[in-house]
C-alpha cells in the first residue's frame, strides 16, 4: 500500500458573526485529500481532512513543509506491521521530523489536518467506522452508540437583538438539541446578563446553557462575570481568560463554584499537563475541550488523554471543540463526555452525517467505513469541487 497523490485547497467559511475576540469575516479552512492505491469493495481509498473553525487555512505550512515530508518518505516506512495499512503514529513522526519542541504556532493545525485524513484511510482499509476502530485499539471494543451533543451558537451579529438570540436557541431545540452554548464578553456584563436570561427563557434549565468568553477577560473581568453568572447556575463558564494563563484559571476555580471549561486552544500534551498541574481544574465538574484537529491530530490527543488518566481524570470530562464528524468519532470510540456541534454555522464542515439526525440531544454515527464524510452530501460536494 502506498500514497499516490495528495491535494490541498483553501475554502472560505467567512461570515459576519463574531465572538468576544475575533470576527469570522475572513475565516477559511484547508481541505485535504490523500489518495492511495488501496481498494475496498472495488473503490479507491481516499482520506479526507480539514481544520476546525477558529484557525485559518494552513496552505503554506502544508505545501511547503509538512506534505513534502510525507511525499518524500519511503512508502514502507509509513506502514503498520501488516504492511497493508498506514500507521498513523509513523506518519505523524514523519511529518514532525526535524521540528523543535514547543512554540506550536499554527503547525499543530497543519499536522492535525493530515492526521484526520490518515485516520480516515486507516479505518476505511480496515472496513470499519473510525469510532469502532478506536474502541478496538484503545478501549474495550465497545464504542458509544450515541453521543451527547450540544449546539454551539449565540454569536454576536450585526442587528441581532435579544429576540434574534431567542429565535436561534428555539431553532436548536426544534432540531433535537437539548443543550446549547452562547457567546459572552463581546459587550459589558450588564448587557450580557440580559442575553443570558433571554436564552434561559427558551432552553429552560440552566444546566442546558453554557457560556463562552473566548479568552477575552483579564482577572478582574473574569471574576466579575463569574459573580454575575453564579446565580444562574449555567452548564459551564468557558475560556474566561487567555488559555495559557493558568494562574487566572486557578483563581477562577477557587472563586467560582460552578463548572468551568477550557482547553480548545491548548495544542499539546505538555500544555494539558501544565493546565492540570497549575490551572486548579476540578475533575468532578470542570470540562476539558481540547480539539483533536487543532492539536496535532488524534495521535497527540491520545497523549493528552494519558495525561488525564495519570492524574485521575475521567475521559468523560472531555467534550472536544470542533463540532464535526471526526471529533464525533473520537468522542464515541474513546467514550468521551460528548461533542460540540455547529448546526447553523461553518457549513458544510460543522455538523454530522445526513442519515443521523440529532434526537433528544444525542446523535448516532453512520455505519460507514472511515470518518463517514461520504454521508455528508454538501461536504462531499466541496471536496469534489476543489480536490
Amino acid at each position: 500500500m502506498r500514497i499516490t497523490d495528495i491535494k490541498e485547497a483553501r475554502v472560505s467559511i467567512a461570515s459576519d458573526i463574531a465572538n468576544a475576540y475575533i470576527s469570522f469575516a475572513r475565516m477559511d479552512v484547508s481541505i485535504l485529500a490523500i489518495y492511495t492505491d488501496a481498494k475496498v469493495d472495488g473503490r479507491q481509498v481516499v482520506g479526507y481532512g480539514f481544520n476546525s473553525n477558529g484557525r485559518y487555512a494552513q496552505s503554506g505550512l502544508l505545501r511547503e513543509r509538512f506534505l513534502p515530508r510525507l511525499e518524500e518518505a519511503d512508502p514502507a516506512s509509513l506502514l503498520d506491521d501488516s504492511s497493508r495499512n498506514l500507521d498513523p503514529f509513523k506518519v505523524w513522526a514523519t511529518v514532525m521530523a526535524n521540528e523543535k519542541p514547543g512554540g506550536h504556532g499554527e503547525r499543530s493545525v497543519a499536522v492535525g489536518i493530515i492526521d484526520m485524513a490518515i485516520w480516515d484511510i486507516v479505518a476505511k482499509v480496515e472496513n470499519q467506522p473510525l469510532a469502532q476502530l478506536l474502541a478496538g485499539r484503545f478501549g474495550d471494543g465497545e464504542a458509544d452508540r450515541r453521543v451527547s451533543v450540544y449546539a454551539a451558537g449565540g454569536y454576536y451579529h450585526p442587528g441581532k437583538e435579544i429576540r434574534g438570540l431567542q429565535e436561534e436557541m428555539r431553532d436548536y431545540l426544534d432540531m433535537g438539541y437539548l443543550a446549547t452554548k452562547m457567546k459572552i464578553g463581546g459587550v459589558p456584563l450588564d448587557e450580557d446578563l440580559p442575553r443570558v436570561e433571554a436564552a434561559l427563557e427558551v432552553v429552560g434549565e440552566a444546566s442546558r446553557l453554557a457560556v463562552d468568553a473566548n479568552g477575552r477577560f483579564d482577572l478582574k473581568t473574569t471574576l466579575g462575570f463569574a459573580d454575575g453568572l453564579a446565580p444562574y447556575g449555567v452548564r459551564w463558564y468557558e475560556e474566561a481568560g487567555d488559555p495559557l494563563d493558568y494562574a487566572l484559571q486557578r483563581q477562577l476555580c477557587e472563586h467560582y463554584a460552578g463548572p468551568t471549561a477550557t482547553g480548545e486552544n491548548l495544542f499539546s500534551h505538555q500544555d494539558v499537563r501544565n493546565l492540570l498541574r497549575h490551572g486548579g481544574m476540578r475533575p468532578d465538574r470542570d470540562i476539558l475541550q481540547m480539539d483533536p484537529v487543532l492539536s496535532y491530530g488524534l495521535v497527540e490527543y491520545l497523549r493528552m488523554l494519558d495525561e488525564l488518566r495519570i492524574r485521575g481524570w475521567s475521559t468523560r470530562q472531555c467534550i472536544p471543540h470542533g463540532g464535526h464528524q471526526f471529533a464525533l468519532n473520537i468522542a464515541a470510540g474513546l467514550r468521551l463526555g460528548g461533542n460540540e456541534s455547529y448546526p447553523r454555522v461553518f457549513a458544510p464542515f460543522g455538523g454530522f452525517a445526513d442519515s443521523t439526525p440529532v434526537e433528544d440531544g444525542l446523535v448516532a454515527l453512520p455505519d460507514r467505513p472511515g470518518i463517514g464524510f461520504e454521508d455528508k452530501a454538501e461536504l462531499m460536494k466541496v471536496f469534489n469541487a476543489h480536490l
Side-chain angles (χ1 to χ4, degrees):
M1 178 188 180
R2 64 188 298 152
I3 293 169
T4 58
D5 196 12
I6 303 175
K7 296 180 181 179
E8 185 271 344
R10 184 191 302 257
V11 176
S12 174
I13 53 168
S15 70
D16 52 4
I17 63 174
N19 62 34
Y21 218 106
I22 65 169
S23 162
F24 289 82
R26 298 187 177 223
M27 189 61 61
D28 53 13
V29 300
S30 281
I31 61 173
L32 185 71
I34 299 180
Y35 297 82
T36 75
D37 64 358
K39 290 188 177 182
V40 174
D41 296 333
R43 284 184 261 183
Q44 181 184 22
V45 173
V46 181
Y48 297 101
F50 57 85
N51 59 281
S52 304
N53 73 81
R55 298 282 166 174
Y56 294 93
Q58 304 298 313
S59 301
L61 284 170
L62 285 166
R63 295 182 183 188
E64 297 171 15
R65 192 151 125 208
F66 293 108
L67 292 179
R69 293 173 185 166
L70 189 56
E71 293 165 328
E72 294 164 7
D74 177 358
S77 72
L78 306 176
L79 300 180
D80 64 13
D81 291 342
S82 74
S83 296
R84 58 174 290 275
N85 206 343
L86 296 174
D87 183 326
F89 296 87
K90 291 181 179 179
V91 172
W92 195 94
T94 295
V95 298
M96 281 294 290
N98 214 34
E99 294 285 329
K100 292 177 68 176
H104 309 292
E106 297 287 287
R107 76 178 179 187
S108 65
V109 184
V111 173
I113 297 167
I114 297 171
D115 179 270
M116 181 194 289
I118 295 297
W119 283 103
D120 194 24
I121 291 169
V122 169
K124 285 173 176 173
V125 171
E126 298 297 335
N127 205 23
Q128 293 186 61
L130 178 60
Q132 188 57 50
L133 180 132
L134 296 179
R137 292 192 178 186
F138 306 108
D140 61 6
E142 293 292 327
D144 287 339
R145 298 184 64 182
R146 298 201 296 170
V147 176
S148 173
V149 291
Y150 70 90
Y155 287 84
Y156 298 96
H157 186 284
K160 180 181 180 181
E161 304 296 337
I162 283 180
R163 183 174 179 179
L165 174 64
Q166 290 183 311
E167 290 173 352
E168 179 187 357
M169 296 293 145
R170 193 170 292 110
D171 181 41
Y172 295 149
L173 299 185
D174 291 342
M175 294 172 68
Y177 293 91
L178 299 181
T180 67
K181 184 171 75 178
M182 61 175 286
K183 301 301 181 181
I184 60 170
V187 296
L189 177 62
D190 62 357
E191 295 179 39
D192 253 341
L193 289 184
R195 296 177 65 248
V196 172
E197 292 173 357
L200 286 172
E201 287 178 9
V202 176
V203 301
E205 298 175 19
S207 61
R208 294 182 176 182
L209 178 70
V211 297
D212 181 5
N214 288 101
R216 178 72 181 182
F217 300 150
D218 59 15
L219 179 60
K220 180 180 179 181
T221 310
T222 291
L223 300 183
F225 265 76
D227 290 339
L229 292 167
Y232 300 100
V234 294
R235 187 180 185 191
W236 67 65
Y237 176 15
E238 179 175 334
E239 212 172 33
D242 187 281
L244 294 177
D245 192 341
Y246 304 128
L248 180 148
Q249 181 65 31
R250 185 188 69 250
Q251 289 172 274
L252 171 60
C253 290
E254 292 170 350
H255 181 86
Y256 180 70
T260 70
T262 190
E264 74 174 74
N265 291 299
L266 300 182
F267 299 147
S268 72
H269 73 278
Q270 293 92 342
D271 287 341
V272 172
R273 180 191 301 158
N274 282 331
L275 174 66
L276 299 180
R277 281 175 173 171
H278 309 297
M281 301 290 284
R282 301 156 298 183
D284 65 330
R285 74 196 78 170
D286 294 324
I287 302 298
L288 298 169
Q289 301 172 303
M290 293 79 70
D291 185 313
V293 185
L294 301 185
S295 53
Y296 294 101
L298 175 55
V299 167
E300 182 69 6
Y301 192 78
L302 290 166
R303 297 176 184 137
M304 293 177 173
L305 296 185
D306 286 341
E307 294 292 337
L308 268 65
R309 294 187 184 100
I310 290 169
R311 290 160 180 81
W313 280 70
S314 167
T315 57
R316 293 296 190 185
Q317 296 303 114
C318 293
I319 303 179
H321 173 267
H324 44 62
Q325 192 78 8
F326 183 51
L328 183 69
N329 273 271
I330 293 170
L334 302 181
R335 300 172 84 169
L336 307 182
N339 200 60
E340 188 171 35
S341 177
Y342 291 105
R344 294 298 189 197
V345 289
F346 312 125
F349 301 97
F352 311 121
D354 298 338
S355 65
T356 56
V358 176
E359 298 176 339
D360 296 324
L362 301 169
V363 67
L365 286 88
D367 187 22
R368 284 176 176 253
I371 296 172
F373 291 140
E374 289 78 5
D375 198 358
K376 284 179 62 67
E378 293 303 313
L379 178 58
M380 291 308 299
K381 287 180 183 178
V382 173
F383 286 147
N384 293 332
H386 294 275
L387 303 172

